[in-house]
Amino acid sequence: MTSPASATAPAGCDGVTAARRLARWLALAATPTFAVMAVLTAAPGGGPDMLCGAGQGSLLGGMVPMYLLMSAFHSAAWLRLIAERWGRYCPPAA
């Protein structure tokens, strides 16, 4: 069975490399985007929190906790980037 990348472009790996870079940048963009959305929603007059009326009274109800959780769940890309950079400067302990 062929992979979708090899079946679409016989021109080489340039398309695959570009797609991987784009996916990596999109993954890095998710965490700060959700963090900014949480801050903007928490600001006075921020977001229409009344639209999510089902969560009223719950500890995790509302848009701000949802954005914070989404930001935390999408932080793996940032942690991976930090670990890669850290590994360049600090060799593994022997």
Side-chain angles (χ1 to χ4, degrees):
M1 186 160 120
T2 61
S3 69
S6 65
T8 57
C13 296
D14 292 338
V16 174
T17 303
R20 286 183 180 159
R21 287 184 180 168
L22 178 64
R24 186 170 180 154
W25 279 108
L26 286 174
L28 288 172
T31 299
T33 301
F34 287 124
V36 167
M37 290 169 67
V39 169
L40 291 177
T41 304
D49 206 16
M50 296 304 289
L51 292 176
C52 297
Q56 301 297 331
S58 171
L59 180 63
L60 294 177
M63 297 302 287
V64 174
M66 182 200 68
Y67 288 140
L68 291 175
L69 285 171
M70 290 174 72
S71 181
F73 290 150
H74 285 89
S75 65
W78 282 98
L79 295 174
R80 190 177 315 114
L81 178 68
I82 292 168
E84 288 173 3
R85 303 270 174 153
W86 188 267
R88 290 182 190 165
Y89 300 113
C90 298

